[in-house]
Amino acid sequence: SLSGKASVCLSDSKQSIYALTSTNDGEYILCGGKDQIIRLYNPCKSVLIKEYKGHGYDVQCIQMDQTTKSTFASCGGDKNIFLWDIKTARILRKFWGHSQRINCLSFNQQFNLIASGSYDQNVLFYDLKAYNKCKPFYKLSNQYFKDSVTDLFFSEYEIFIVCMDGYLRTFDIRNGKLIKDFICEKGVTSVSLSEDRKCILLSCLDDKLRLINKLNGKLLNEYGHEKYINNSYRIRSSFGCHDETVLSGTENGLILIWDLVKANKHEVVVLDNEDNTSIITNVLPHPQKSNLLISSDTKGHIKVWNVE
């Protein structure tokens, strides 16, 4: 059976971390949260490389440009999207258009568009190639969404959007078609796509994760556990390395790992953060080392876990 322990703990932030992302090779991570500072780390070497200061409110989401690795985008309570130069820590551009906190953003696969979702019930699209444009070129307005937009993911032509109204919406940008799938009446807070692009993983505020077939919206699997508590806060779940597992934090300081296919019939691995008052806000797999996970929590810790 698997077990794990935290081999690295980075604690430069003393406040909640809401945003966590890594480079494709897992060498660097960016994190941000309540203290408004974004930090760049080499997590396996426990090195803080740079701090990025410019947000006036909490940071809710960070995404890196994986093609050039020279820029990243961030958003949060400022209602603007910030585009940063990684090396110089300069803010290159700001994009505006939302009237409330921005919860999430995603680059498309070519890294020339950004989509953002907000508490204002809108999803806005920005063109990074139009250098003089800081306003959105397209908008999915609140006629589509009945509540706060919590997370979104840009695939090649499709964008997957989840909302506190309990729906997953798939928007095809080629033909403007929008498909709605009802998932959970308590709300959905996290969406991710499997490596083979066939399955969608959703975090729902009824203490469950759900796996959906992208093609037809059918429920493939549900993941729950007596120790899995997630009914009040946004916790970002993810697929494990090579889609073999499903990962999520909890509201009581635990990380759970399910077998993707066998779900609850198989032993669920529980990693203990040793602080049941902390909420694990993000769990990421190391993109290349299948035995490593990276987590963030509301006590300001970034931890690297060895799972053997």
Side-chain angles (χ1 to χ4, degrees):
S1 85
L2 290 169
S3 66
K5 59 181 190 295
S7 56
V8 171
C9 180
L10 309 164
S11 54
D12 295 282
S13 171
K14 303 288 178 268
Q15 298 182 57
S16 293
I17 294 169
Y18 304 128
L20 178 66
T21 192
S22 78
T23 48
N24 280 343
D25 54 11
E27 187 129 353
Y28 302 103
I29 59 166
L30 284 162
C31 64
K34 201 171 179 185
D35 75 356
Q36 306 164 20
I37 300 168
I38 295 169
R39 293 177 174 88
L40 175 71
Y41 288 103
N42 179 321
C44 295
K45 293 181 179 168
S46 307
V47 178
L48 173 64
I49 299 163
K50 217 173 206 45
E51 293 188 336
Y52 302 84
K53 296 176 182 175
H55 277 279
Y57 294 85
D58 54 299
V59 179
Q60 289 289 331
C61 187
I62 304 167
Q63 295 293 336
M64 204 174 293
D65 177 344
Q66 300 284 6
T67 49
T68 65
K69 300 216 175 19
S70 63
T71 61
F72 69 89
S74 62
C75 65
D78 294 88
K79 307 176 203 169
N80 298 321
I81 294 168
F82 292 52
L83 190 69
W84 302 79
D85 182 290
I86 285 192
K87 284 196 179 76
T88 63
R90 273 179 49 238
I91 298 167
L92 301 172
R93 295 167 75 183
K94 283 187 190 178
F95 300 95
W96 47 278
H98 284 292
S99 61
Q100 300 275 347
R101 180 186 74 225
I102 306 174
N103 294 321
C104 49
L105 64 86
S106 178
F107 286 100
N108 65 338
Q109 280 185 319
Q110 293 77 34
F111 293 95
N112 55 19
L113 301 177
I114 287 178
S116 58
S118 166
Y119 191 75
D120 67 12
Q121 304 177 24
N122 291 307
V123 171
L124 303 182
F125 294 81
Y126 302 90
D127 185 352
L128 297 180
K129 295 199 305 291
Y131 282 109
N132 54 346
K133 290 266 169 61
C134 294
K135 288 196 284 204
F137 70 88
Y138 193 78
K139 177 179 182 174
L140 288 174
S141 67
N142 53 13
Q143 73 194 63
Y144 295 107
F145 307 102
K146 301 287 167 270
D147 209 327
S148 174
V149 177
T150 48
D151 200 14
L152 45 76
F153 182 87
F154 222 137
S155 181
E156 199 169 2
Y157 301 113
E158 297 165 304
I159 181 158
F160 306 96
I161 307 163
V162 292
C163 180
M164 283 301 291
D165 65 12
Y167 282 89
L168 162 69
R169 290 169 178 86
T170 306
F171 180 64
D172 191 318
I173 56 174
R174 291 167 303 182
N175 57 22
K177 213 168 89 183
L178 189 81
I179 300 164
K180 265 170 76 168
D181 291 295
F182 181 70
I183 306 295
C184 167
E185 62 183 27
K186 298 274 175 68
V188 187
T189 56
S190 168
V191 58
S192 40
L193 197 58
S194 59
E195 262 177 45
D196 65 9
R197 303 282 190 233
K198 289 179 180 169
C199 303
I200 300 168
L201 180 67
L202 304 167
S203 295
C204 308
L205 289 178
D206 62 351
D207 306 317
K208 290 255 185 347
L209 301 171
R210 288 177 173 84
L211 189 70
I212 306 289
N213 183 331
K214 179 169 97 67
L215 215 59
N216 56 22
K218 285 215 164 70
L219 181 68
L220 297 172
N221 229 332
E222 277 193 353
Y223 308 89
H225 193 269
E226 71 256 12
K227 291 184 174 171
Y228 180 59
I229 298 169
N230 182 202
N231 49 49
S232 307
Y233 293 90
R234 181 178 72 178
I235 293 175
R236 286 203 172 100
S237 55
S238 63
F239 289 95
C241 200
H242 311 309
D243 296 341
E244 288 165 9
T245 54
V246 164
L247 319 169
S248 181
T250 69
E251 292 171 18
N252 55 341
L254 302 175
I255 294 168
L256 273 68
I257 306 170
W258 290 265
D259 185 284
L260 178 85
V261 179
K262 297 180 188 137
N264 307 324
K265 299 171 199 67
H266 198 263
E267 188 180 348
V268 177
V269 180
V270 180
L271 306 180
D272 193 345
N273 200 32
E274 292 167 6
D275 179 359
N276 64 7
T277 64
S278 75
I279 297 157
I280 308 282
T281 50
N282 293 272
V283 184
L284 298 178
H286 189 287
Q288 302 193 338
K289 297 176 184 165
S290 58
N291 63 318
L292 291 187
L293 306 177
I294 304 161
S295 71
S296 64
D297 65 36
T298 51
K299 297 290 172 79
H301 299 139
I302 300 285
K303 291 187 178 178
V304 180
W305 300 80
N306 275 311
V307 183
E308 301 293 355

